Amino acid sequence: MEKGKTLNPKPLTQNLEKMELLELFFKSIFIENMVFATFLGMCSYLAVSKKVSTAVGLGAAVIFVLLITVPLNWLLDQYILQPGALKWLGAEYADYDLSFLSFILFIATIATMVQLVEIIVEKFSPSLYNSLGIFLPLIAVNCAILGGSLFMQSREIPTLTAATVYGLGSGIGWFLAIIAIAAIREKIRYSNVPAPLRGLGITFIITGLMAIGFMSFGGMLTGGKDGGSKQETISKVAIEKIKEEVESIKK
Amino acid sequence: MALLNKKDAALITDPLFDNNPITIQVLGICSALAITAQLEASIVMTVSVLFVLGIGNVVISLMRNIIPSKIRIIVQLVVVAALVIIVDLVLKAFAYELSKTLSVFVGLIITNCIIMGRFEAFALANGPWRSFLDGIGNALGYGVILIIVGFFRELLGTGDLLGLGQKLLGHPLLGNPIPGELSGAYAFGYENNGFMLLAPMALIVLGIVIWVQRSRNTDLIESH
């Protein structure tokens, strides 16, 4: 994170255009889908996707926890962790940079929030607890949750609203992914998969094919103008490298 | 081996193949997929996990009798988070470019299920020395898969391999001895497959690794 750029925590009510929020929402669901683009939360995605009903439970719990922890960690990041974020305590704290503590604070927040949510849900809504409850402890160590907060930090999401939208969108993206794979796995039981591929192997390959499908959402927000831009930058970098080497050999 | 008796040696060799954390125990998949577009990143990730899991297992094993079982998850998370902060700071100090490539995935070692899994399953019930060996073994098993996937993705995707690829395949544009012409395999019409660098191929390559492994050792086949 660049110093100086983040010296002033931005006001919470900074007006982001609604269009931008909507864009962030769709981007976090489809284009930067947690499972298909960044592989977050793969462990529980593979372990709990044998039946649609359990997958729905875990997916809902992930949406719920991401929706709570991402904005919360955004506040922590903005007012405690960033370089200069402690300014509100007084001018003598303005130089402090606690960003090295972010891993430990984020994971502590997540673990406590998960415990808290579990207790509250158990008290007020036993029926919800029965469907979500068993998955909540699993979630504290789900990398999708910590990943959500870390991406929120590294992408410098500007406002609290945007952080909430990002948390919600990422959660929904994960939910979609796990439901889709669970539905496919329920059907694939009746197919004749080669024996060594059964179970884990075929699940990986199907997820790969689904990820290819999700890549086609890449042009959704740009009208396809910069679809394949990643590819271009890669080849550009390669060409630059080659040119440099040609130069050095000529010398 | 004089240092290790047979039982201890099995702690290291088992997770390498027949009880591999990624392909058999299905732990720690996230990072295995995300950072394998480059072999160098895979190797650094392996070393980081080796450090965190080796030391973390010893620490948890030493504390196993004083951790109240109700809050053990939080204690474990704090131990891992502290170790990961060390790794992150070291990477930022000595390999800044690489730490940019790995981005959030260094932080995500905290929630890497291999680590929590080994703490729960092994370190809480065994002494420090055996826990250390178990940690090393599992981290190496994780690393083997990372390096295999990273090897194929980097080689086929960019034609490069830790800067050695041009000796293997020749050069796409730079010809030897005439600059500007294709050389090596490229002269015969070989082309890099940029698709290997994109996310989906990580999954498919890992699927193929699992396929090969289970074809060789049919005991590992799942019923469904």
Side-chain angles (χ1 to χ4, degrees):
Chain A
M1 213 168 288
E2 285 171 54
K3 274 192 180 173
K5 194 180 171 188
T6 47
L7 270 180
N8 300 316
K10 288 145 202 145
L12 295 187
T13 48
Q14 187 184 358
N15 269 330
L16 256 194
E17 299 240 350
K18 276 184 187 150
M19 213 37 219
E20 263 174 63
L21 286 179
L22 198 67
E23 199 179 307
L24 182 69
F25 184 64
F26 281 110
K27 208 169 150 190
S28 53
I29 296 180
F30 293 110
I31 302 173
E32 283 161 3
N33 185 292
M34 283 249 166
V35 173
F36 297 128
T38 49
F39 309 115
L40 295 178
M42 283 301 279
C43 308
S44 20
Y45 167 86
L46 291 168
V48 194
S49 61
K50 283 192 179 131
K51 277 170 68 186
V52 173
S53 52
T54 46
V56 170
L58 184 69
V62 165
I63 296 183
F64 199 50
V65 175
L66 267 174
L67 187 59
I68 294 169
T69 56
V70 173
L72 209 63
N73 281 335
W74 184 86
L75 288 174
L76 274 179
D77 186 44
Q78 208 65 212
Y79 291 103
I80 297 181
L81 294 170
Q82 281 189 2
L86 285 173
K87 220 172 153 195
W88 55 273
L89 271 179
E92 67 267 36
Y93 296 103
D95 294 338
Y96 282 38
D97 176 4
L98 296 181
S99 51
F100 69 94
L101 281 178
S102 44
F103 294 161
I104 234 168
L105 262 183
F106 284 177
I107 196 72
T109 316
I110 289 165
T112 28
M113 279 319 295
V114 168
Q115 287 276 312
L116 213 67
V117 167
E118 197 182 344
I119 294 167
I120 293 172
V121 171
E122 188 178 11
K123 178 98 172 85
F124 290 105
S125 171
S127 62
L128 184 65
Y129 180 76
N130 284 337
S131 53
L132 282 190
I134 36 169
F135 299 113
L136 283 171
L138 258 180
I139 280 180
V141 288
N142 185 333
C143 24
I145 311 290
L146 182 62
S149 291
L150 289 177
F151 271 127
M152 175 273 298
Q153 191 191 31
S154 74
R155 286 177 192 163
E156 298 182 6
I157 297 222
T159 64
L160 186 63
T161 334
T164 318
V165 167
Y166 178 71
L168 181 65
S170 311
I172 293 176
W174 202 88
F175 180 81
L176 282 179
I178 195 168
I179 290 187
I181 193 73
I184 294 176
R185 283 181 83 172
E186 271 191 5
K187 294 284 177 236
I188 215 163
R189 292 173 64 95
Y190 307 109
S191 318
N192 189 13
V193 179
L197 265 180
R198 259 179 225 155
L200 196 56
I202 195 74
T203 313
F204 270 121
I205 290 176
I206 292 172
T207 311
L209 296 176
M210 281 161 77
I212 296 175
F214 265 67
M215 275 169 64
S216 58
F217 287 117
M220 193 168 72
L221 294 176
T222 55
K225 269 173 215 154
D226 69 8
S229 62
K230 203 175 175 185
Q231 197 66 39
E232 269 167 38
T233 39
I234 290 168
S235 52
K236 263 182 203 164
V237 169
I239 289 170
E240 285 299 311
K241 226 178 167 182
I242 291 159
K243 275 182 187 163
E244 274 171 29
E245 277 167 36
V246 172
E247 288 298 313
S248 66
I249 286 176
K250 275 181 187 168
K251 278 172 195 167
Chain B
M1 278 186 278
L3 244 179
L4 308 166
N5 59 38
K6 226 177 182 177
K7 231 172 135 191
D8 286 350
L11 287 176
I12 289 195
T13 51
D14 259 8
L16 285 185
F17 303 104
D18 289 346
N19 195 17
N20 190 286
I22 293 184
T23 60
I24 311 298
Q25 301 172 37
V26 203
L27 298 173
I29 313 268
C30 327
S31 53
L33 296 165
I35 48 98
T36 47
Q38 275 183 340
L39 186 57
E40 196 184 7
S42 317
I43 293 173
V44 170
M45 195 70 183
T46 308
V47 175
S48 311
V49 170
L50 195 68
F51 171 78
V52 173
L53 192 51
I55 311 270
N57 248 357
V58 173
V59 173
I60 293 293
S61 164
L62 288 172
M63 297 199 302
R64 68 186 187 279
N65 294 324
I66 52 171
I67 304 177
S69 70
K70 279 200 170 166
I71 58 158
R72 66 178 192 283
I73 303 267
I74 293 186
V75 174
Q76 288 163 1
L77 284 175
V78 171
V79 171
V80 190
L83 289 167
V84 170
I85 288 175
I86 298 176
V87 170
D88 187 43
L89 291 179
V90 168
L91 279 183
K92 275 190 182 140
F94 295 106
Y96 189 71
E97 285 304 311
L98 207 59
S99 82
K100 281 273 167 222
T101 327
L102 292 175
S103 72
V104 301
F105 291 97
V106 179
L108 288 173
I109 298 178
I110 299 173
T111 45
N112 190 322
C113 351
I114 292 184
I115 292 176
M116 299 301 284
R118 290 333 288 174
F119 284 2
E120 284 281 306
F122 201 90
L124 282 175
N126 288 282
W129 173 238
R130 282 173 60 79
S131 301
F132 178 69
L133 293 178
D134 180 74
I136 299 286
N138 277 285
L140 287 176
Y142 168 84
V144 166
I145 302 294
L146 242 68
I147 287 168
I148 293 175
V149 177
F151 176 84
F152 285 113
R153 283 184 74 194
E154 183 169 1
L155 184 66
L156 300 179
T158 63
D160 199 0
L161 202 65
L162 300 173
L164 294 172
Q166 289 154 17
K167 284 182 189 144
L168 296 170
L169 292 177
H171 206 292
L173 283 180
L174 173 74
N176 274 331
I178 318 154
E181 273 185 28
L182 302 164
S183 77
Y186 295 98
F188 299 102
Y190 175 79
E191 283 200 39
N192 288 328
N193 182 358
F195 197 51
M196 292 298 282
L197 296 177
L198 300 178
M201 282 316 286
L203 291 155
I204 293 175
V205 171
L206 191 52
I208 293 171
V209 170
I210 291 172
W211 190 359
V212 171
Q213 191 191 19
R214 292 185 183 184
S215 310
R216 290 174 57 91
N217 186 348
T218 43
D219 296 341
L220 301 174
I221 291 174
E222 291 173 53
S223 57
H224 258 293

